[in-house]
Amino acid sequence: GLKLVVIGAGSSYTPELMEGIIKRQNEFPIRELWLVDIEDGREKMAIIAGLTRRMLEKNGLDIPVYETLDRTEALLGADFVCSQFRAGCLDARISDERISLKYDMIGQETNGLGGFANACRTIPIALAIAKEMEQLCPDAWLLNFTNPSGMVTEAILKHSTVKTVGLCNVPVIMQKGIASALGVSDINEFIMQVAGLNHFIFARHIYHEGKDKLPQVIELISEGNDPLVPKNIPPFKWPDRLLANMGMIPCPYLRYYYMSDDMYRQELGEAQGEGTRGEIVKELERELFEIYRNPELAEKPKALEGRGGQYYSDAACELMSAIYNDKRIIMHVNTRNDGAIAGLPDDCAVEVSSMITRSGPIPLNVEPFPEDVLRLIQLMKSFEQLTIEAAISGNRYTAWRALVINPLVKSGQLLENALDEVIEYNKALMPAF
Ligand code: NAD
Ligand code: G6P
Ligand code: MN
């Protein structure tokens, strides 16, 4: 059997992962399950461990569940490691959101100034984990969910020998939405090809019954009711004919770029009313853990559907099983480009439909992007690469170079002041800028 390690196990998403494991018990045999968190997450992890044990028992699975704050003990001899921690926890996310809004910018977990700050907190920890894995479990696979997932994956790909794949639930949500638009019940009945960067992908093709149904799905989405949007993004309507003219479906996160002002105003309104997304999530999380505590509960509760990351276990567990069983199925993952997207470096991370094998993902080549879209993807990749560099070096000029090209970030004095505040809040959480 396999040793599975979950880093950031106190996440309220963990019951999804457990549900995915239970569902695949006959194809993905687990010997022991190790939950890892930090002191701040100890209590949450204990509640998750209790619920996990009840879920396993209810399903007749005799798998020991260990809880630890000592990562190295958990990593020793691991086969699969799922990384899903939040560096600085929710308070840091809220700080990113509030500082951004204060300086007239969109405040978001993985985009703009928030995405930059998140990366600077997270990448040093992710690289430390990868270094430990090189020693303690060099053959293990590292599945990264930890946001910003694309940048974290690229940092590990470039600075470590560990085998890693980055994941996101947005492609899964898009698949589910497309299935409902096409009126099919099974997402495996059609093929969706996506390409781009994490939270910056485009659906390029939807093959069903021998035809490309992309235009048909675009028509349905353009009518208004977009079923492809996760809970954390307000369900806006794309401008008329935009998608038809593009001939692609931009993922919901692209609204931050193609409809920046609408998104900014919406966010500002919410922040002044019910609160920022991070603040709302804090409350949601409190409610979820109240539910998880219940000793009668032995399954994933419905309330988890209020989180943006729902269905992520489908991706995580399916990916682990696909690697382990050499399934050669198509999944949508963050991996080395290697020419899949023309116009981006071979060694950068891209989020693309890939064939999943025992040797890892083999990305599918994608039809060249129109020049305007390609330029935008290249710009975002430069932002990501400079951000990774800043997260490692702590060089303020590199940070400035990253931020000043990001379309969601203001320049000049607003940027200097915002960056000062970000650095001040994160003094203990980031390299010293
Ligand atoms: P959360 O705030 O509950 O954090 C999860 C756990 O990480 C917490 O229990 C916290 O104590 C712990 N943690 C913090 N620093 C740690 C460290 N250095 N080592 C080990 N554990 C640490 O977060 P969440 O909302 O459940 O999300 C968890 C992570 O997964 C975030 O990075 C989030 O952005 C990401 N996520 C990604 C996707 C995706 O599509 N890729 C989907 C959902 C969530
Ligand atoms: C989406 C994204 C995740 C993100 C999450 C936020 O599904 O793919 O990367 O972390 O939503 O959801 P939340 O409920 O935390 O706002
Ligand atoms: Mn994501």
Side-chain angles (χ1 to χ4, degrees):
L2 303 160
K3 179 174 181 181
L4 175 65
V5 179
V6 182
I7 299 180
S11 163
S12 58
Y13 288 114
T14 306
E16 275 230 344
L17 196 61
M18 298 311 155
E19 185 189 63
I21 286 167
I22 290 164
K23 225 163 77 184
R24 290 169 182 80
Q25 54 180 288
N26 295 323
E27 57 176 77
F28 190 65
I30 294 181
R31 180 183 80 232
E32 48 193 278
L33 190 56
W34 284 76
L35 306 183
V36 184
D37 212 292
I38 52 171
E39 186 55 45
D40 285 349
R42 184 203 285 270
E43 205 191 314
K44 279 176 26 178
M45 177 165 67
I47 296 170
I48 293 287
L51 174 56
T52 298
R53 291 186 186 107
R54 296 193 298 276
M55 287 173 74
L56 292 171
E57 198 195 320
K58 182 181 167 190
N59 289 278
L61 283 170
D62 185 20
I63 301 171
V65 178
Y66 301 95
E67 298 159 62
T68 181
L69 305 184
D70 176 5
R71 207 160 63 197
T72 56
E73 172 189 36
L75 290 176
L76 183 66
D79 296 291
F80 285 93
V81 178
C82 291
S83 170
Q84 49 166 41
F85 65 90
R86 184 185 296 284
C89 300
L90 266 179
D91 284 338
R93 174 178 179 180
I94 294 168
S95 161
D96 294 346
E97 292 168 339
R98 287 283 171 195
I99 294 172
S100 304
L101 287 167
K102 178 173 168 191
Y103 294 103
D104 304 344
M105 296 179 233
I106 282 170
Q108 218 281 324
E109 181 191 22
T110 60
N111 289 272
L113 184 64
F116 167 85
N118 195 359
C120 290
R121 286 190 295 269
T122 307
I123 286 171
I125 301 170
L127 291 180
I129 294 171
K131 286 292 148 200
E132 289 166 13
M133 287 181 66
E134 287 174 7
Q135 300 302 319
L136 300 168
C137 52
D139 295 324
W141 280 93
L142 172 58
L143 274 68
N144 182 71
F145 268 99
T146 297
N147 270 322
S149 184
M151 286 191 260
V152 172
T153 302
E154 179 159 330
I156 297 170
L157 284 173
K158 284 193 168 158
H159 298 283
S160 152
T161 56
V162 158
K163 297 183 286 190
T164 190
V165 192
L167 274 172
C168 177
N169 66 331
V170 163
V172 182
I173 290 177
M174 291 174 76
Q175 271 176 309
K176 301 236 185 210
I178 290 166
S180 80
L182 290 174
V184 305
S185 55
D186 181 1
I187 59 170
N188 296 314
E189 253 184 67
F190 59 92
I191 294 172
M192 169 183 85
Q193 186 180 20
V194 298
L197 311 181
N198 178 234
H199 293 183
F200 212 89
I201 53 168
F202 298 81
R204 303 297 312 270
H205 294 291
I206 297 165
Y207 296 117
H208 182 49
E209 295 174 333
K211 295 200 178 67
D212 197 341
K213 298 282 179 71
L214 187 68
Q216 183 188 325
V217 175
I218 284 177
E219 274 309 311
L220 288 167
I221 291 176
S222 303
E223 283 162 20
N225 189 6
D226 185 346
L228 277 50
V229 186
K231 291 280 161 56
N232 55 309
I233 302 179
F236 276 30
K237 187 179 174 310
W238 290 104
D240 284 343
R241 306 306 305 158
L242 176 68
L243 304 198
N245 283 313
M246 283 185 107
M248 298 185 262
I249 305 174
C251 81
Y253 277 93
L254 276 148
R255 287 155 207 256
Y256 289 109
Y257 299 85
Y258 289 137
M259 305 172 68
S260 297
D261 288 336
D262 310 75
M263 295 299 275
Y264 172 71
R265 274 194 285 271
Q266 165 94 14
E267 237 198 11
L268 194 62
E270 283 169 6
Q272 288 161 349
E274 64 213 85
T276 66
R277 180 65 191 169
E279 288 159 355
I280 291 168
V281 165
K282 207 170 190 179
E283 178 54 25
L284 262 174
E285 187 180 90
R286 206 188 50 73
E287 290 166 16
L288 281 171
F289 277 90
E290 272 316 304
I291 298 172
Y292 294 174
R293 262 178 218 281
N294 177 357
E296 305 293 310
L297 182 77
E299 61 190 17
K300 180 190 85 176
K302 184 130 179 66
L304 189 49
E305 288 172 12
R307 296 294 306 273
Q310 67 168 145
Y311 308 133
Y312 96 114
S313 77
D314 273 352
C317 297
E318 193 56 22
L319 180 62
M320 289 190 284
S321 178
I323 293 173
Y324 177 70
N325 293 300
D326 200 17
K327 280 192 182 173
R328 305 180 191 191
I329 53 171
I330 294 172
M331 293 188 68
H332 318 285
V333 298
N334 289 265
T335 190
R336 232 182 93 101
N337 183 32
D338 280 333
I341 300 181
L344 288 180
D346 284 346
D347 66 350
C348 76
V350 289
E351 188 165 295
V352 285
S353 305
S354 307
M355 181 169 70
I356 309 299
T357 76
R358 180 161 292 165
S359 310
I362 302 179
L364 303 181
N365 270 22
V366 55
E367 197 177 311
F369 277 100
E371 197 163 289
D372 54 331
V373 178
L374 177 64
R375 295 290 178 256
L376 203 48
I377 295 174
Q378 289 169 328
L379 180 75
M380 292 307 294
K381 181 46 78 183
S382 294
F383 161 75
E384 291 192 352
Q385 295 189 323
L386 287 161
T387 297
I388 294 168
E389 213 181 300
I392 294 172
S393 66
N395 184 308
R396 175 142 177 167
Y397 178 57
T398 310
W400 180 87
R401 288 172 66 209
L403 289 163
V404 85
I405 59 172
N406 186 302
L408 306 186
V409 176
K410 302 270 167 165
S411 62
Q413 202 53 50
L414 282 176
L415 173 55
E416 295 307 317
N417 295 349
L419 191 51
D420 283 343
E421 274 197 40
V422 165
I423 292 169
E424 174 61 23
Y425 177 89
N426 291 284
K427 317 200 257 297
L429 300 167
M430 279 181 185
F433 279 97

